[in-house]
Amino acid sequence: FRLRRDGDLRSLRARIAEAGGGSPLPYDPHLYLCDPSAVPRRGGKRGGALRDLLASAAAAGQLTRQEVVSTLPAIVLDVQPHNTVLDLCASPGCKTMQLLEAGAVVFANDVHPGRIAALRDALRRHGRLEGAHGAEGGRLVLTQGDAMSFPMPRARAGRLGRRGFHRVLADVPCSGDGTVRKDRSVLPRWSPEVGNALHATQLGIALQGLRLTREGGRMVYSTCSLNPVEDEAVVAAVLREVAKEAGRNDALEILPWPHEKFPGLRRRDGTRVWTVADHVEGDEEEEGDVRLRTHDSYETGLAAGMKNIAATMWPPPKNDLVVNRSPATDLRRCSRFLPHDNDGTTGGFFVAILHKRHGWNVPAGFHKNVQRSKASSKSTIRRPPSSVLQKVVQQYQLDSKVARQRLWWINREEERSNDAEDADAAAAKTTPLPPIYFVPPELEAYVVAGDLVPGIEVHHAGTQVFRYVEKRNGYVVVEGAMDLVQKELLLAP
């Protein structure tokens, strides 16, 4: 488990020690490794005092239960407080919380509404949206959309502009074969076909992530898989594609692993050579038997009828003009973590730290510069109608100019009224209206973009300040938001 990096946690540390929770790891005083029998189990009764302590501390936002190697991508992303960060595949949210703790503005995205709901629930459960640590929610935008076509923010953005994000995390969907030690359901379902089927998606997400990274910025690509088709093959394909788009072979480099930050943590170099395989049914006499079938090249795999085949799955040739031609593009700079290398205390993981040395003009269809247009009534985020806004302004004596600029409706799917009705008609009804959020300038540009880009929905932006109460037929200030309302929205005395 991982403790928050801010706040005074001396009392919590003492209680963890008293409950037998172990001691911090040598490379991070906020990371603890405890006996698996003490870890809370869903529906179980194991763990005793430590289990109860971890559960209560997690609910208070003081710690996050997280695999040790799973914390590495956010650490090596090297986020600074002034950065704007994009987490392309954010659910279930542990890494998003790490990024928020760095003090950055964070855009957390996922493609499935169920995963967005799980992400929101996790952030709320850990007090990141409201409560003691709710200020972090003011630096957070939650979006639902396809990471492979995630749009570039509008040019007007203060921190973003057309230059993109300072940091991008691409912790992509994967086969999860590195989690076999802790999740016994993975192995019976495993086959190379799982990784093969995900390769194109992983490559698409990684490429788009780099296009959205500003020049001089950094992207971390990671998986909890040990399969090179999901790991080094993706990195090699990204290096080649970026060289093609940028028109230069030095636009992207793999940064070396920062060994000095992780004393005692064993890693292995990435590999330059691997085997590509699929699986076929075995002999008829052996019911349910499956065997691996390897393919030396794309051509032989194609001839054999391999499913989900892509030429980028195979290792680059020795005469490749980009990959492995210099230390900066040497796949051995990637990092693989094996459970038995660290006394079985970690899962399996893969990390590649990519530095965007030079920018380039990305192909049409990938770089989406959003133009102003009228938002439709189906938008997930929009300006409150004037009748609603004016009532709130008068009730709380707000600065009307600031309110018009900074207050937004965020109408999540579970809260939407009839989309066929226009905003003013909906406002005239007594049915529950969407919550009102305060959106600071550094978030506004992407919030507006999310309103207008097909396929991207905004589920949270900034800080919720007002909620609708049906019995009162009006809005009230949400708990904990009054300080923000007084500081940012009230008329000057």
Side-chain angles (χ1 to χ4, degrees), residues 207 210-211 215 242 245-246 251-252 356 358-363 367:
L207 277 172
L210 284 164
R211 292 165 179 144
E215 184 174 326
V242 165
E245 290 185 7
L252 186 66
K356 186 171 180 178
H358 302 283
W360 64 90
N361 294 321
V362 300
H367 186 155

Side-chain angles (χ1 to χ4, degrees), residues 139-159:
R139 294 184 277 102
L140 175 69
V141 177
L142 293 182
T143 62
Q144 178 193 332
D146 187 349
M148 290 190 290
S149 57
F150 199 87
M152 183 71 78
R154 295 188 310 137
R156 192 164 61 89
R159 288 192 180 190

